[in-house]
Amino acid sequence: MWLTRLRRKDKIPAGVAALLRQCDQALFAAITGSDTTAMARFVISFGHLHEAVARSGRLRQDIAPYQPRQSRIWEPPPGFARQLELQLASALASLAETRTERAMPALRPLLTRVTRSRDRLMWADSPATGTELLGSTLAQALAQAHRLRLQTLKAAVGDTELPAAEFPVGQTVALPVLERFVDGECDDEVIANYLRGLMALGWTTSQPTPAHHGRALNPVLSVLLPFFAADPFRLVSTWGPDPVTLTATLRPRPDWIGRLIAAGPVGVLDDALLRLQLAGCRPLVGRPPDRAGAVAVHHTDGTRLAAALLMRVHIRDRAKALSAATATRPDKASLVTT
């Protein structure tokens, strides 16, 4: 066991030893059932401990990164605090390219000091994004991870087509949760702490989907969200006097995430609205100098939006977003799947 190998090391740095004790105490409390919050403390402590080992040149020589063999589901007790942050962290930690890789979170090599060599994990000097996974840098780290992934996808298909951007495997995030993240209504430090631990352990959580409380969808998010779907949409257009059924395949441009990070949503929104119109989906959401569009763009942070678009969203929720942004509605025959 990884923790056992670490305990047997001589002259462990004081900071690592303190985190190891925290892990042991939380794990003991979780096993004995004496504290319902113990497992949460263990997840967070293990993530910090793993990162501390990654920073220690001496320990790294003998202790390889923890490599989970299978994905495990942690079921927090009912009424568990910080469910919003845990839902976001769990969804991010579950992202994978194939089902056989679910125990190896796809974001782990991008966000932490590990790199993948074939089927093994090895230590890296810094995260691939170049950004530490902290509460103050969470959105930036996720946005940069999204940018790197789009670059990789584009390189794989070349210049002939735009690739589907959504991760094919992973938990989906409900629209209310995604919107609260975009609007900054969550504790990024808590998300980062959970995410670090869940990725290292290869765990996800099982939690109920929150109810939608009827808040209007952010207009900028509603325009961009459909472009990051894996599958096309079968829609009914209400552009003209007679409804017309159409199939729309929407793909983001590879530079959109970089542009959101660098300059915010204005230019990307213009591009997306034009592409929606060309696809047969007449935009209902205005752009500056339209007042509603200007207000939405002004208050939507481009980096948080780029980070949010990395997450998996159910195809029905993406269709709702498309219907909110355009003169279309989902066809009753259901969405197209490839």
Side-chain angles (χ1 to χ4, degrees), residues 205-217:
T205 65
S206 176
Q207 299 176 86
T209 301
H212 199 297
H213 297 298
R215 67 191 274 176
L217 188 63

Side-chain angles (χ1 to χ4, degrees), residues 53-126:
V53 173
R55 293 172 179 270
S56 172
R58 186 162 58 84
L59 289 177
R60 281 171 43 152
Q61 295 177 5
D62 301 318
I63 305 291
Y66 178 72
Q67 184 160 342
R69 300 302 175 186
Q70 60 182 7
S71 180
R72 301 195 178 205
I73 297 177
W74 163 36
E75 297 188 9
F80 187 79
R82 298 295 187 186
Q83 285 199 357
L84 171 67
E85 288 81 4
L86 186 54
Q87 285 172 354
L88 287 162
S90 180
L92 288 163
S94 71
L95 296 176
E97 299 293 353
T98 66
R99 294 195 176 277
T100 58
E101 296 179 343
R102 294 187 72 171
M104 191 74 66
L107 294 184
R108 191 180 179 192
L110 295 174
L111 298 177
T112 64
R113 285 177 166 79
V114 295
T115 185
R116 192 183 316 210
S117 177
R118 296 183 181 179
D119 294 331
R120 297 181 55 196
L121 288 179
M122 302 174 62
W123 296 116
D125 292 331
S126 62

Side-chain angles (χ1 to χ4, degrees), residues 14-85:
V16 174
L19 289 168
L20 182 57
R21 285 194 297 272
Q22 290 178 20
C23 278
D24 288 339
Q25 292 166 1
L27 191 57
F28 179 78
I31 292 172
T32 58
S34 60
D35 187 347
T36 58
T37 66
M39 191 56 71
R41 296 203 313 276
F42 171 73
V43 169
I44 293 172
S45 296
F46 188 87
H48 282 298
L49 174 63
H50 197 276
E51 188 66 13
V53 173
R55 293 172 179 270
S56 172
R58 186 162 58 84
L59 289 177
R60 281 171 43 152
Q61 295 177 5
D62 301 318
I63 305 291
Y66 178 72
Q67 184 160 342
R69 300 302 175 186
Q70 60 182 7
S71 180
R72 301 195 178 205
I73 297 177
W74 163 36
E75 297 188 9
F80 187 79
R82 298 295 187 186
Q83 285 199 357
L84 171 67
E85 288 81 4

Side-chain angles (χ1 to χ4, degrees), residues 229-234 247-251 315 335-338:
D231 299 317
F233 298 90
R234 184 179 290 119
T247 299
T249 301
L250 302 172
R251 297 286 182 260
I315 188 69
L335 299 158
V336 180
T337 57
T338 56

Side-chain angles (χ1 to χ4, degrees), residues 138-162:
L138 173 71
Q140 180 71 16
L142 293 174
Q144 291 295 345
H146 198 176
R147 181 184 63 82
L148 291 175
R149 182 167 187 270
L150 278 190
Q151 288 181 349
T152 301
L153 290 174
K154 181 58 180 172
V157 301
D159 297 328
T160 58
E161 58 181 311
L162 295 175

